[in-house]
Amino acid sequence: MTTSIQPAMLTKMANAIRALSMDAVQKANSGHPGMPMGMADIAVALWSGHYRHNPSNPQWINRDRFLLSNGHGSMLHYSLLHLTGYDLSMDEIKNFRQLHSKTAGHPEVHITPGVETTTGPLGQGITNGVGMALAEKLLAAEFNEPGLNIVDHHTYVFMGDGCLMEGISHEACSLAGTLRLNKLIAFWDDNGISIDGHVEGWFTDDTPKRFEAYGWNVVRTVDGHNPAAVSAAIVAAKASDKPTLICCKTVIGKGSPNMEGTHNVHGAALGDKEIAAVRANIDWAYPPFEVPADIYAAWDAKASGNKMEGEWNAQFAAYTEQFPHKAAELTRRMKGELPANFDEVIASTINSCVEKKENIATRKASQNAIQAFAPSLPEFLGGSADLTGSNLTNWKECIAVRGNQAGNHINYGVREFGMSAMMNGIALHGGYIPFGATFLTFSDYSRNAIRMAALMKIRTLFVFTHDSIGLGEDGPTHQSVEHISSMRLIPNLDNWRPCDTVESAAAWAFAVKRHDGPSTLIFSRQNLPYQERSAQQIADISRGAYVLQDVADAKAVLIATGSEIELAVKSAAELAQQGIPVRVVSMPSTDVFDRQDAAYKASVLGKGLPRIAIEAGVTDLWYKYVGLEGAVVGIDTFGESAPASVLFKYFGFTVENVIAKVKATLV
């Protein structure tokens, strides 16, 4: 697929992007016109000659993926979507950056048809692209048959100097080269400008050599304002057995006679006077938000898109006839649906936990749950950031992904941020449920990707082990204190901290079944005792909190999570001996519990009873459950280096301290 459009029309098509971009930014008095004006010719080369998509069906399975990693230049993407025929009207272009429009400041998936990911913080778009390219490669290896390459598409990424300066791009692009993701093609907008000015004062990397060292194919010094040259580079990239970086030399704000090539055009409206000068300079004799019919016709991709998808549908019909099971499986997985028997698998797994009554670390209980679920979930794609033996995200039948080997478990290396954003890309691509792990304290490295998963409402599973001062001798640098509470502040993120094998299996089940957002699964290093429960109590785990132990005449309520449940249970037993009966509440997910109705929450926490929360972390969050008149057994300092048992005693996680807190609330 290459364009036969005449050069003069290609120029007009690029100028349509320039005009729409500068006019939308001017109307909003907010935005970034420089990048869209500078990358317009590159966009013309890709979208008119190579990019396989169908504006009439943005969710076509075998479409190419396009990501704008330098997402501040969003008007480039919106212009492309509008001009090629997506459901993005001129009114939406005029409504750029306004409340509830489909044209937000940065592209947002599920908001704008044709947008594949939400790119905001620089570097995550290219990293999402690495994840998408990996998903395509693995699905192709699993589902394609000779002569029937039903999974066969490219991932294209536009990125700028900012993406390359962010450390996450080093993490992801290094791994992309190692995994030989040859369907990934990235375009570097080499314009030498960032917000502060000319980048030579702070960015002098030899970028082509850097990517060659990663194992990429590099096409150097392409004239980014020559669509024919860019198209030729794309042809060369498609022929490579490596991911490709196309280095496009451009002028930021191309077409602006007084501002192009300067940082002044990066992130502000041009102003009426300069916009008039641009129109004269590029010979655009049309008023704002008007595009001539012949330019619309040149851009229109609906007919070609319908044709491409129709041809693929015919191929998929032949595939379905020959390989009905695989066709049904691919369809199911791309829809994000779970196997019909998955609830039975969950029930069997939890019943097994009840029968075995194991006293094991919840990180091991997590691995047991993975092992139980994996045979029924071929879409499981696990991994760890160089801590597989500690995080326990592998299972007996898993196969390691390598550059020459498809599999279902990824060794991400020491790349926590890259791993997390790659998983987001995998989840967005479809076909897999990605999960990846590291120590909880290293969630700081992953934080922005976790936030983006929550913002995008995608099913990414973040596994964290070694969850507290229970880590022990590694000391405060590795002991999580504030991390769980801080992640509870992220909207739409479900955080689970289970206390034993049953809660661990249940947490995995609910995270997998959740379709509208990500989850964290937070596990202990140390062994934890099994807790007895009724069938109703097991069912109530799904509500985030439930009464684990109750008494008829409770004087107080102990609320705990994870490893501190054991302390709550022991304290309750001792308090009973002293004539102070208390209720014990397990709250593995505050986020899920907060969504329950008022009646259920009252039935769990009780009315008028003093409440004492116990968790080996910072205390502030817990006062919303215990009130100012309640108490919290927690830790508001960093940890220390010592054996876990010593640390728990040193920081007051003892039966004696819990009893003292309870008695103080009863005075």
Side-chain angles (χ1 to χ4, degrees):
M1 177 185 170
T2 56
T3 186
S4 58
I5 301 172
Q6 294 300 308
M9 178 53 75
L10 293 175
T11 299
K12 291 181 180 180
M13 293 166 69
N15 286 340
I17 294 173
R18 294 185 173 102
L20 288 175
S21 298
M22 70 179 183
D23 288 341
V25 171
Q26 182 68 17
K27 186 174 186 296
N29 195 28
S30 174
H32 300 75
M35 186 282 268
M37 296 173 74
M39 294 194 78
D41 300 297
I42 304 170
V44 167
L46 174 62
W47 280 60
S48 70
H50 298 275
Y51 185 49
R52 293 175 56 84
H53 64 122
N54 185 4
S56 301
N57 181 15
Q59 298 305 311
W60 172 32
I61 288 176
N62 201 43
R63 68 191 183 279
D64 289 339
R65 269 62 169 179
F66 174 78
L67 298 90
L68 199 70
S69 192
N70 43 355
H72 54 271
S74 56
M75 268 310 306
L76 173 72
H77 204 174
Y78 299 146
S79 298
L80 289 165
L81 294 171
H82 169 74
L83 291 166
T84 55
Y86 284 81
D87 183 18
L88 192 68
S89 68
M90 186 64 83
D91 284 340
E92 292 290 353
I93 300 295
K94 293 177 182 178
N95 211 25
F96 179 55
R97 288 187 162 226
Q98 304 309 300
L99 183 65
H100 302 317
S101 74
K102 294 181 181 179
T103 48
H106 291 74
E108 294 188 31
V109 70
H110 310 315
I111 300 297
T112 312
V115 169
E116 301 285 358
T117 186
T118 299
T119 53
L122 293 175
Q124 290 199 58
I126 177 62
T127 308
N128 294 163
V130 173
M132 290 183 183
L134 177 58
E136 190 276 343
K137 180 175 182 175
L138 296 178
L139 282 172
E142 183 176 354
F143 286 98
N144 287 352
E145 294 289 345
L148 292 169
N149 293 330
I150 56 165
V151 180
D152 183 14
H153 52 265
H154 286 81
T155 300
Y156 297 103
V157 182
F158 280 10
M159 61 182 180
D161 291 327
C163 296
L164 294 174
M165 284 187 264
E166 288 286 359
I168 189 173
S169 71
H170 294 256
E171 296 182 27
C173 294
S174 168
L175 189 54
T178 299
L179 296 177
R180 303 185 76 84
L181 302 180
N182 64 302
K183 295 285 190 68
L184 174 63
I185 300 175
F187 300 78
W188 170 32
D189 181 26
D190 180 15
N191 61 33
I193 295 292
S194 66
I195 292 175
D196 282 353
H198 292 272
V199 300
E200 63 260 21
W202 49 87
F203 183 54
T204 58
D205 299 11
D206 190 331
T207 297
K209 284 186 178 179
R210 168 185 157 189
F211 276 77
E212 287 170 349
Y214 291 155
W216 284 53
N217 170 48
V218 177
V219 184
R220 294 170 174 257
T221 321
V222 175
D223 180 357
H225 300 300
N226 182 339
V230 175
S231 182
I234 297 171
V235 171
K238 289 179 176 179
S240 176
D241 63 349
K242 303 175 182 179
T244 294
L245 175 71
I246 301 176
C247 305
C248 299
K249 197 66 182 175
T250 64
V251 176
I252 190 171
K254 177 72 171 175
S256 175
N258 301 302
M259 298 174 69
E260 68 177 20
T262 73
H263 69 282
N264 297 321
V265 77
H266 170 86
L270 300 183
D272 291 334
K273 184 177 179 180
E274 186 64 14
I275 284 179
V278 173
R279 278 186 154 75
N281 190 41
I282 67 174
D283 193 25
W284 190 261
Y286 312 103
F289 306 108
E290 182 176 312
V291 178
D294 61 334
I295 297 177
Y296 268 125
W299 269 118
D300 193 348
K302 293 192 293 293
S304 61
N306 285 328
K307 181 175 183 293
M308 283 185 284
E309 184 175 357
E311 292 170 348
W312 182 86
N313 286 338
Q315 185 182 43
F316 190 67
Y319 180 87
T320 301
E321 185 174 346
Q322 295 182 50
F323 308 100
H325 174 75
K326 295 182 75 170
E329 185 69 4
L330 177 62
T331 300
R332 175 187 72 78
R333 285 167 53 175
M334 291 302 293
K335 288 181 178 178
E337 297 174 351
L338 295 174
N341 69 334
F342 189 60
D343 283 339
E344 298 172 13
V345 173
I346 294 170
S348 175
T349 302
I350 291 177
N351 287 339
S352 177
C353 293
V354 172
E355 292 171 3
K356 293 180 180 178
K357 305 183 188 305
E358 293 177 295
N359 299 331
I360 57 177
T362 51
R363 60 173 173 156
K364 179 59 180 174
S366 166
Q367 186 180 45
N368 291 348
I370 295 169
Q371 183 66 60
F373 292 167
S376 299
L377 292 176
E379 58 264 52
F380 254 7
L381 184 57
S384 175
D386 203 48
L387 289 167
T388 303
S390 295
N391 300 148
L392 305 181
T393 52
N394 55 339
W395 62 100
K396 291 178 182 177
E397 301 84 7
C398 72
I399 300 171
V401 174
R402 296 290 185 263
N404 59 353
Q405 174 180 285
N408 50 12
H409 191 273
I410 303 166
N411 299 101
Y412 284 98
V414 188
R415 299 182 177 96
E416 294 91 352
F417 194 6
M419 171 183 72
S420 300
M422 279 182 62
M423 290 196 297
N424 287 346
I426 292 166
L428 287 162
H429 180 280
Y432 292 103
I433 299 174
F435 61 90
T438 187
F439 288 177
L440 178 58
T441 192
F442 303 147
S443 64
D444 284 338
Y445 287 136
S446 302
R447 181 60 55 91
N448 204 267
I450 298 171
R451 181 178 184 272
M452 296 304 290
L455 179 63
M456 293 188 282
K457 301 180 180 180
I458 55 176
R459 183 166 48 187
T460 310
L461 277 53
F462 302 96
V463 179
F464 299 114
T465 66
H466 298 62
D467 68 345
S468 68
I469 57 173
L471 178 63
E473 293 85 346
D474 276 345
T477 63
H478 281 48
Q479 291 166 5
S480 300
V481 175
E482 76 279 20
H483 297 77
I484 298 175
S485 281
S486 67
M487 287 194 295
R488 288 169 177 153
L489 297 175
I490 299 176
N492 200 45
L493 177 67
D494 283 357
N495 301 278
W496 290 90
R497 188 175 184 240
C499 73
D500 68 354
T501 56
V502 170
E503 283 191 1
S504 296
W508 264 103
F510 303 134
V512 168
K513 292 184 70 173
R514 187 184 183 204
H515 285 269
D516 60 351
S519 303
T520 71
L521 298 158
I522 301 167
F523 301 112
S524 73
R525 177 196 187 192
Q526 70 273 29
N527 289 346
L528 302 179
Y530 172 82
Q531 302 294 334
E532 293 288 351
R533 298 173 187 80
S534 68
Q536 185 59 55
Q537 286 173 311
I538 291 173
D540 285 342
I541 297 173
S542 66
R543 307 189 76 168
Y546 61 100
V547 178
L548 178 64
Q549 292 186 0
D550 206 3
V551 289
D553 53 349
K555 303 299 184 185
V557 179
L558 299 181
I559 309 167
T561 78
S563 52
E564 286 67 71
I565 285 292
E566 177 183 11
L567 175 58
V569 169
K570 288 181 177 179
S571 299
E574 180 60 30
L575 283 162
Q577 290 294 320
Q578 297 183 26
I580 306 174
V582 297
R583 171 184 291 184
V584 177
V585 169
S586 178
M587 192 178 288
S589 178
T590 62
D591 313 279
V592 174
F593 181 67
D594 287 348
R595 294 198 294 269
Q596 305 306 308
D597 60 72
Y600 180 76
K601 286 189 277 191
S603 73
V604 171
L605 297 180
K607 291 185 177 180
L609 295 176
R611 301 168 187 167
I612 300 87
I614 312 168
E615 186 174 63
V618 293
T619 61
D620 281 5
L621 172 138
W622 287 104
Y623 287 101
K624 79 174 186 178
Y625 301 106
V626 304
L628 295 179
E629 70 282 359
V632 182
V633 178
I635 172 171
D636 288 314
T637 68
F638 292 112
E640 298 283 349
S641 181
S645 59
V646 174
L647 291 175
F648 278 114
K649 182 176 181 181
Y650 175 77
F651 285 109
F653 291 92
T654 63
V655 169
E656 293 77 14
N657 189 37
V658 173
I659 290 174
K661 294 279 189 179
V662 171
K663 289 181 176 179
T665 65
L666 295 176
V667 173

